[in-house]
Amino acid sequence: MKQIINDLIAQALLELAQAAQIPSELSINIQVTPARDPGQGDFASNIALMLAKPTGLAPRALAEMIVAKMPVLDTINKIEVAGPGFINFFVDSGTSHAIVQHVLEQGDDFGRSTLGQGGKIQVEFVSANPTGPLHVGHGRGAAYGATLANLLSYVGFEVQKEYYVNDAGRQMHILGTSVWLRYLDLCGESIDFPSNGYQGDYVWDIAATLHRENAERFHKDAAEIYADVCEDAPAGDKEKHIDDLIDNAQRLLGEDEYRFVFDLALNTLVKVIRVDLHAFGVDFDRWFSERSLSDEGLIEQAIKRLQDNGHVYEQDGALWFRSTDFGDEKDRVVCRDNGQTTYFASDIAYHMNKFERGFAKVINIWGADHHGYIPRVKASLSALGYDADNLEIQLVQFANLFEKGEKISMSTRSGEFVTLKQLREDVGQDAARFFYVMRKAEQHMDFDLDLAREQSNDNPVYYLQYAHARICSVRRQCEDKGLEVDINNASLTRLDNAHEQALVKHLGLFSERVESAALRHEPHQVVNYLRELANQFHSWYNAHQFIVDDVELRNARLALASAIGQVLGNGLKLMGVSAPEKM
RNA sequence: GCGCUCGUAGCUCAGAUGGAUAGAGUGUUGGCCUCCGAAGCCAAAGGUCGUGGGUUCGACUCCCGCCGAGCGCGCCA
């Protein structure tokens, strides 16, 4: 309908141009928006306001001219000029009502589109270091990423969901060494656990498994372990302290044995994370190992390609990528003076690999604390010869947790955090998923745990689910009463009160809203749409009886109700939220 | 100091490419179940859109200054 109106305006403008009443070469961007008020019809365009200046005509006069040139269509009852020069379109109710039939016919596919034309798009999200279980801070990215992937898929993209596993690097070594030290404790050694080690209970669990299955295999003497180790904080340097311990662990155990402990810790936690996410309704198509990049020589390849393109120089014994040539604020080291490549070098190789895999678009969902990292990654893509615009980095702000009115400070290192699993068990899967995507990603969000726990029945998600359950209940009532119900051939023109007309109009906006939410990466748009739909439904429900003696009217109302239920279900499914038939 | 994300009702938040009278939820106050599910509906109240300028027919939206919040600014990951 919107497109039809768009065409109408375009045609009218063309005729006006041909009649030389307006200049012919105008850059026009016709805007047709859903009207906000029934008195303003169904759709409105501000075209006359926008063209007032370039044509030198008064907005209202121009609007009248445009309207006069518009062909008469039987799908549009009335076109009028209002306000400062808006053109309002009143769509024939029979035409509007067709949407109800359309929804019922399309069913679960209503709202789908081919907008993406099968374009390959990758969404990488969560990608938390496997140094501990996921906590509530990771939940937002998980829920958001999964929903965004659903949306993109729904509008016709071929979407691949990926988790980048940081299985190389210092943090993982600290974890491996933490596990080993706990293991030594279980072996009876007296261990002064490093302040910078990972202190969560899960570290003990992994150490216990290591001890149970391997007995004394990795047992070394505490005196040797602490030989030549820098003193821990507060007297010494806690960073140096842990690094020395890692060095000793590698030396005493040897490469293979050290790797065994390291991999046990890594694999255990990756599995914990995968199971947690699955329970949260979030599944990935691929878990990409950071370590595989160096194993397969991709980091070398990436650096060589940068060198070949002339974007690398040597200084102070290190290799630098001249990212300032591409807008970064300073150049970045890719290979240290000790010969080791940096984390950034891995990331360059990783992103190169993403595009080598043929993705037309790559979306990274990052915590907002990584925003300073964006320019250098984009710079590296440009330097490698890719269009950096095909990498879209979506930042997600942290959710501040509040409990008993106080902000909870969390730290993976200290083991003090609320896990995603705990949250899910507290407030329920549906509420947790819904809560996270209710708000715009860039918006700072307060997450009141007490409220989420104690008032979970007041969570907005129930408002939507309740509407769906009510609709199902009405259908059950009809069955119980043995009433004749034929929603597929209903006389939809009987839907003539204000509530019904508003609902019909709102149903017609779903597809467009889903597309907008997908392209703009804003799942909350769907949430808001559904809340409005549920609200209109509840109002209608309270104002009118559905199960009436008039069969024709009853069928019409049940058809509309069913269509609403269908759209609610489709929308909730996109967010990973269930649409219960009973509550 | 520089950069990024923000600042909208008591609180939590919506307000796409600038458009008509800035909206929900929650909280407060008052109504609605002999009637399809009251986890609902209706009504009232609540605002200098952080602030000061600018751009124009029109600014919550765009530009600049300032105030305030969070986060970044390593040969860490």
Side-chain angles (χ1 to χ4, degrees), chain A residues 208-334:
Chain A
T209 301
L210 187 67
H211 188 254
R212 187 173 62 248
E213 296 178 354
N214 300 279
E216 303 289 308
R217 176 174 160 191
F218 307 101
H219 190 170
K220 301 291 174 192
D221 188 55
E224 285 187 89
I225 294 157
Y226 282 93
D228 301 322
V229 167
C230 170
E231 194 176 349
D232 198 2
D237 181 342
K238 63 178 183 180
E239 303 290 348
K240 180 86 167 59
H241 177 71
I242 193 87
D243 284 339
D244 286 347
L245 284 173
I246 292 168
D247 288 344
N248 282 351
Q250 290 176 314
R251 182 172 49 78
L252 292 168
L253 287 170
E255 190 178 336
D256 291 347
E257 296 292 84
Y258 176 82
R259 179 61 69 188
F260 186 95
V261 176
F262 183 101
D263 281 350
L264 176 71
L266 168 68
N267 294 334
T268 303
L269 283 170
V270 168
K271 187 177 179 191
V272 164
I273 289 170
R274 186 174 5 218
V275 168
D276 264 6
L277 285 170
H278 178 73
F280 197 50
V282 180
D283 293 291
F284 289 86
D285 299 307
R286 182 163 179 184
W287 295 69
F288 194 100
S289 157
E290 178 188 353
R291 209 195 292 164
S292 74
L293 291 168
S294 54
D295 290 349
E296 292 168 23
L298 295 182
I299 298 175
E300 282 175 35
Q301 276 180 38
I303 293 175
K304 179 161 191 310
R305 192 154 145 192
L306 287 177
Q307 281 175 318
D308 291 346
N309 290 356
H311 302 302
V312 173
Y313 63 92
E314 194 174 339
Q315 184 180 308
D316 302 329
L319 284 183
W320 295 71
F321 164 46
R322 195 178 284 107
S323 57
T324 47
D325 281 354
F326 302 92
D328 196 8
E329 55 188 27
K330 57 172 289 192
D331 293 340
R332 310 291 175 177
V333 171
V334 290

Side-chain angles (χ1 to χ4, degrees), chain A residues 307-487:
Chain A
Q307 281 175 318
D308 291 346
N309 290 356
H311 302 302
V312 173
Y313 63 92
E314 194 174 339
Q315 184 180 308
D316 302 329
L319 284 183
W320 295 71
F321 164 46
R322 195 178 284 107
S323 57
T324 47
D325 281 354
F326 302 92
D328 196 8
E329 55 188 27
K330 57 172 289 192
D331 293 340
R332 310 291 175 177
V333 171
V334 290
C335 187
R336 293 190 269 253
D337 55 10
N338 65 8
Q340 282 193 320
T341 54
T342 59
Y343 174 81
F344 179 45
S346 296
D347 240 4
I348 295 172
Y350 180 41
H351 285 87
M352 178 178 81
N353 177 260
K354 288 186 182 198
F355 284 101
E356 290 299 304
R357 279 188 269 161
F359 293 110
K361 281 274 183 197
V362 168
I363 299 175
N364 289 358
I365 295 168
W366 286 354
D369 55 335
H370 285 79
H371 61 75
Y373 205 69
I374 297 173
R376 78 189 71 168
V377 173
K378 291 217 171 213
S380 72
L381 286 173
S382 298
L384 288 168
Y386 299 106
D387 182 354
D389 287 340
N390 289 329
L391 170 66
E392 295 176 9
I393 296 177
Q394 178 66 51
L395 297 177
V396 176
Q397 284 288 348
F398 293 123
N400 290 318
L401 279 182
F402 285 82
E403 189 167 32
K404 294 183 175 63
E406 286 182 19
K407 186 174 170 180
I408 301 174
S409 58
M410 292 198 298
S411 154
T412 306
R413 193 67 56 82
S414 66
E416 292 168 3
F417 50 79
V418 179
T419 65
L420 182 59
K421 187 179 178 183
Q422 288 169 338
L423 177 77
R424 181 166 45 78
E425 289 167 353
D426 271 352
V427 308
Q429 166 82 347
D430 288 339
R433 284 290 297 264
F434 189 84
F435 203 98
Y436 276 126
V437 297
M438 270 173 63
R439 308 275 154 75
K440 196 162 50 177
E442 302 91 334
Q443 182 65 255
H444 299 264
M445 183 175 110
D446 285 349
F447 199 131
D448 187 329
L449 281 174
D450 295 315
L451 197 71
R453 287 187 188 117
E454 293 167 18
Q455 302 194 0
S456 59
N457 279 357
D458 285 340
N459 192 297
V461 70
Y462 290 92
Y463 185 75
L464 303 185
Q465 292 181 317
Y466 185 59
H468 187 269
R470 254 185 166 176
I471 290 166
C472 294
S473 174
V474 170
R475 286 198 294 233
R476 280 196 300 273
Q477 295 278 341
C478 290
E479 283 176 31
D480 292 348
K481 293 178 181 175
L483 294 174
E484 172 205 336
V485 175
D486 182 6
I487 59 173

